[in-house]
Amino acid sequence: MRFAVIQFPGSNCDMDTVRAIREVTGAEADLVWHARKDLSDYGAIFLPGGFSYGDYLRPGAIARFAEAMDGVRRAAEDGRLVIGICNGFQILLEAGLLPGAMRHNDHLQFRCEIVPVRVERADTPFTSGYEPGQVIRLPIAHGEGNYYADDGTLEALERRGQVVFRYAGENPNGSRNAVAGIVNEAGNVLGMMPHPERAVHRWLGSEDGRALFVSMWRAGRERQLV
Amino acid sequence: MYNEPTAEQIEREALYRQVGMTEEEYRRAVELLGRRPNWLELGLFSVMWSEHCSYKSSRRVLKRFPTEGPQVLQGPGENAGVVDIGDGWAVAFKMESHNHPSAIEPYQGAATGVGGIIRDVFTMGARPVALLDSLRFGPPDDDRQRYLMREVVAGIAGYGNAVGIPTVGGEVKFAERYRNNPLVNAMCVGLMRHEDLARGTARGVGNPVLVVGARTGRDGIHGATFASAEDPLEKERSAVQVGDPFMEKLLLEACLELIATGAVVGIQDLGAAGLTSSGAEMASRAGSGLEIDTALVPRRETGMTPYEVMLSESQERMLVVMERGKESVAGEIFRKWGLEAAVIGRVTDDGMLRVLDGGKVVAEVPVKALVDEAPVYERPAREPEELAVFRSWRWEETPLPERLDEALLALLGSPDLADKEWVWRQYDHMVLASTAVRPGADAAVIWLRGTRKGVAVCTDGPGRYVRLNPLLGGMHAVAEAVRNLVCVGARPLAITDCLNFGNPEKPEVFYQFEQAVEGMSRACEVLGTPVVSGNVSFYNESKGVDVDPTPIVGAVGVVEDMERVCTPAWGPGMIVGLFGPAAPAPEDQGRWLGGSEYLLRVHHLLAGDAPPLDLELERKVQEACLEAIRRGLVAAAHDVSEGGLAVALAEMAIAGGTGAEADLGAVAAGVRPDVLWLGEAGSRIVVALRPEHVEAVRRLAEEAGAPFAVIGRTGGDRLVLRAGAVQADLPVERLRTVWKEAIPWALSENSRVSSSI
Amino acid sequence: MYTARVYVTLKASVLDPQGRAVERALHALGYGEVRGVRVGKVIDVTVEAPDAGAARRRVEEMGRRLLANPVMETFEIESVKPASGAAVEG
Amino acid sequence: MYTARVYVTLKASVLDPQGRAVERALHALGYGEVRGVRVGKVIDVTVEAPDAGAARRRVEEMGRRLLANPVMETFEIESVKPASGAAVEG
Ligand SMILES: Nc1ncnc2c1ncn2[C@@H]1O[C@H](COP(=O)(O)OP(=O)(O)O)[C@@H](O)[C@H]1O
Ligand SMILES: [Mg+2]
């Protein structure tokens, strides 16, 4: 399976993500410019972290109009894998591919640290390499990761088991229900604030992100995604 | 055409004063030009001859710095220094101040400071991989200081995080003399292959000159505003420059892509004095001339005069000289990134900086006159009277506290020594996924991915020592920074610096400056770390009070094997060793107390001399410790600096979540317990060793001629300090709480929230 | 040319961390009478348009598509006025 | 109880990168007629006060002291109205 990492103006975790995919799975990963519409070659698409369009107005608000988002939408409909990390999660929310929105962290500060995160679902194509309920350590780095959805939406997310990652220690940003990552109903689109691509080597303080890339690689093969 | 004074008027009415030139300087300009300068030409002289651009007060003194070594690929004189780290890799780095803008508007001042230093590094062809920030404020006991600190930190975070360069290190200190003059110094470190080294030169007659990036507005134009024929916004003008990290990120990517094409002849950021200074400097380095038509410069505002265009300090712009015929290469790359690239002139061979306005020549000044012929001052220097007063302190009269527990807690909770996590967790210190040693250790380590190598970086600036003894303080600044590199297992390579001082026209301030540079130079020579870049910030004064003399040193080293990186975190069951002197001779006790954090926090005294520092001993200690780490004999290491041995041990205990018992009974004869545990001296590193490695380390130290002593063992959950009798005994948890909570507590008072809401 | 002033505010049911911080700060400054603070955006959009009505319709559309996020925000056009003075780019 | 609506806007000469980014986004979305965008803040402050005039005076003071940063922003009080409905916590 081939991986795409979309590069928006202002993305800054794009290369980290490409490297993590290559190093962990050995698969091919391409950096794909945001103006490219056709993403049909890719079985899995990453929307990386960063500050696309400076995060001006709202994080993800401008990036969601990028031409590559057509390809992302199509991939989501096809059942291919789409994952947004940090800014990528914000873009998926703005694009309506996942429900909810992001507010400023409740303490209003940017927060960068390694935090405990509980894997609530280990039966998704992104998390099959983890144990259900496993608490892993992942870096976060964001100023607007305070997840919001109205009561009805939130209740539905929980009922359907769409909350995949949840902060297991102190809630670092005020997210409702301590949400750190969610999937769509079909289970093939994931958005998460923590950065698995920064947790792939002992020297980086955690290796707990590796299983996510491995899970995706496996799912891609099983599902015979391009 | 513009409402500008004539050359005659300038002379008759002494208008040169309005742009900060003395009469003598004006006469010199007339002589060099062979005629009276017009208003624009006067503007060019005034900015190029300003302290900021010409280093007219410091140039003579800075010559003292050692700048050479086999590792140096580029020394001072370019936008950043560059050193070799082996295997074809090199590091580019530099530090710069943004003190004055930060005092006016802390968020934007700090943000644009970060932006400027990033450009200095990528302009060399290096990809920035780390930022550091060195900050000084007044004590956090008033709303203004807390506001400044919150905003400065937010500004650094807001810019660095968005550009996507991890801020991995720095320091924050507080002292009375920074109350009206906060210091904000930022350092950037970049990585590159040797062959990608780019330089700021304007070579090749006829080569096109481009301005790329943001448009030019009326930002930061100095003093007099006669020049504005029509400035519709005059009343609404703000001196504040706003940073745009998004633009910077695009500019960074576009410039690196452009440099990689090989079609770039020279490139330089537009910083202070904008087009004037960058144009003149690039021409000067190449010995060429430059022609710029201001009408071709893309503007953000209407009605700008050539004067305003030439002097604008709008952010996020670069000046690029391309190979002739390759303009379109730049055009394409910049268009892809959504940026503008405009050809605004060309390289000439007549040595002139010629400014045109729609084809018409409006200024013509020899580059040499602007750059090489800038005035150089021999400022008088005189030892400040306060030094004699400091030295007259009689340490014997300082009472001994009953127990050291309280003193140790007071030190751990002092804003200077307390945990700075509140600051650095606002910085994205992990982006680029290469940060192997994160903030909080002696130095940060950036892993050079795909290799086993790493780059270690840190900053240091012992302001109090420099105030007490500028020469010795300057030595400490370098020794301490370099020692910090050694503690993480890096071989020191070179340093950059930012010299923050008061008004150099005061002989006392100039004395501090001269002596500090001398001290730094000596340390650099002995420790083998040349100065490859730097910056001077003078006039940090207000209401007649100058800041403490504050040279900040940024040090860079290389880790050869990432498996051998060390941090201060120790584990249980280890032996605690100390490289360097364990105690002073009884007659030297005063030297260990003078200028110490302990004397200040517990006795509220700033007195004495800076602590002793023997550079040869320092070198031996560093060599021995580094060798021990490289052989894999050291489990944890931490240098002993402010707060002395007790604070160093406490920090290691907190970092490792493990207690220890240390006993200095063997060396304590005739020495006061406070001197022993809280006294300060250079050349000391605490290490934790597995028991089976102790003998090897001892032998190694002996061979290197470095003192080494076993002083205790780790384990349990208390830190116990004895010299025979117990002198302090505290739970590690208590130490941790005091150390961790001091800064958040100091800043939590319900005061002004940031206006950046 | 017309300038439309658009407000974008968080829905009343959405907790506003910025508003909370300002409120706390005002209390600390001695403004005990403050009962609530909400922080939103004011966006001035200057457009070329034949008349104010046309300008409003276009800006209305921009509001729906880009300026506000309907999940948590609402927007309203406060006014549409002939543009004044020299235009300065962002 | 009164709610004062305060605008905080950047001084006209101060670069507004956010406004510029929004402008470019609007152009890309097909709104070529957009000539400029400036983004500021709107702050609704609800206060206990004997009358609208008193409320205005207090909020005016808050504006000077806290809500705007005088070196780069200006503020104006757009309106002071009796607070409507239940005050929602920030
Ligand atoms: N304290 C210093 N130590 C060493 N070099 C210095 C020092 N101060 C300035 N320099 C050198 O002088 C040159 C001009 O510095 P500066 O004006 O800060 O650069 P820029 O033009 O990028 O602002 C640089 O090459 C810098 O490295
Ligand atoms: Mg420079």
Side-chain angles (χ1 to χ4, degrees), chain B residues 52 211 214 220 347 375 393 414 461 480 494 616-617 620 626 638 640 642 675 695 725 735 750:
Chain B
H52 195 100
V211 64
V347 178
W393 166 68
S414 92
E480 200 175 319
E616 277 305 323
L617 176 68
K620 290 174 185 161
L626 181 58
H638 187 31
V640 180
E642 289 155 301
V675 174
E695 270 324 299
L735 302 172
N750 286 320

Side-chain angles (χ1 to χ4, degrees), chain A residues 105-184:
Chain A
N105 293 351
D106 57 357
H107 44 74
L108 295 183
Q109 288 178 352
F110 192 95
R111 179 65 57 87
C112 176
E113 60 191 337
I114 295 181
V115 298
V117 173
R118 192 165 53 246
V119 183
E120 299 281 15
R121 291 279 303 274
D123 55 352
T124 77
F126 306 95
T127 53
S128 62
Y130 298 102
E131 296 298 320
Q134 186 183 346
V135 174
I136 59 177
R137 293 172 64 251
L138 290 179
I140 55 165
H142 57 251
E144 295 177 60
N146 180 353
Y147 181 75
Y148 170 80
D150 61 32
D151 294 344
T153 309
L154 202 60
E155 196 268 325
L157 281 174
E158 294 287 3
R159 184 160 31 81
R160 299 194 202 106
Q162 286 175 255
V163 177
V164 173
F165 294 112
R166 207 188 299 274
Y167 299 112
E170 195 194 332
N171 185 333
N173 51 33
S175 274
R176 293 200 77 183
N177 291 16
V179 164
I182 55 172
V183 279
N184 63 347

Side-chain angles (χ1 to χ4, degrees), chain B residues 104-105 108 147 215 219 233 236-240 242-244 300-301 316 338-339 752-753 755-757, chain D residues 10-18 20-21 24 41 43 64-74:
Chain B
I104 296 168
E105 211 310 287
Q108 294 297 342
Y147 164 77
R215 296 185 159 198
D219 310 75
L233 301 168
E236 273 238 56
R237 270 212 180 274
S238 162
V240 176
V242 173
D244 181 356
R300 209 173 73 224
E301 302 183 39
E316 289 98 19
L339 298 174
R752 270 182 74 95
V753 291
S755 57
S756 65
I757 46 165
Chain D
L10 283 175
K11 288 182 182 172
S13 68
V14 175
L15 181 75
D16 176 12
Q18 172 154 242
R20 179 110 179 94
R24 297 181 70 163
K41 279 174 275 193
I43 306 180
R64 264 199 318 276
R65 289 182 64 191
L66 179 80
L67 303 179
N69 176 355
V71 295
M72 49 193 295
E73 294 172 331
T74 51

Side-chain angles (χ1 to χ4, degrees), chain B residues 67-88:
Chain B
T67 59
E68 284 164 16
Q71 71 275 43
V72 178
L73 300 179
Q74 176 63 60
E78 270 287 345
N79 291 299
V82 182
V83 297
D84 181 18
I85 56 168
D87 303 334

Side-chain angles (χ1 to χ4, degrees), chain B residues 576 645 649 660-664 677 711-713 719-723:
Chain B
V576 181
L645 190 55
L649 292 169
E661 193 162 327
D663 192 341
L664 287 180
W677 293 107
I711 60 166
R713 56 174 56 243
L719 180 66
V720 183
L721 307 179
R722 345 165 146 262

Side-chain angles (χ1 to χ4, degrees), chain B residues 55 62 65 76-78 94 96 120 497 499 531 533-536:
Chain B
Y55 286 85
L62 294 179
F65 279 145
E78 270 287 345
K94 183 171 180 203
E96 210 157 64
D120 272 333
D497 66 82
L499 307 175
V531 179
S533 61
N535 172 245
V536 177

Side-chain angles (χ1 to χ4, degrees), chain A residues 54-72:
Chain A
D55 271 6
Y56 293 133
L57 197 59
R58 294 179 310 279
I62 300 177
R64 84 167 171 100
F65 293 105
E67 297 188 313
M69 290 305 289
D70 291 350
V72 169

Side-chain angles (χ1 to χ4, degrees), chain B residues 214-221 237 297-302 304 308-315 317, chain C residues 88, chain D residues 13 15:
Chain B
R215 296 185 159 198
T216 300
R218 287 189 176 90
D219 310 75
I221 296 165
R237 270 212 180 274
V297 176
R299 330 272 177 94
R300 209 173 73 224
E301 302 183 39
T302 49
M304 288 180 70
E308 290 170 323
V309 173
M310 287 303 292
L311 270 63
S312 162
E313 297 191 354
S314 289
Q315 301 286 306
R317 301 178 301 159
Chain C
V88 178
Chain D
S13 68
L15 181 75

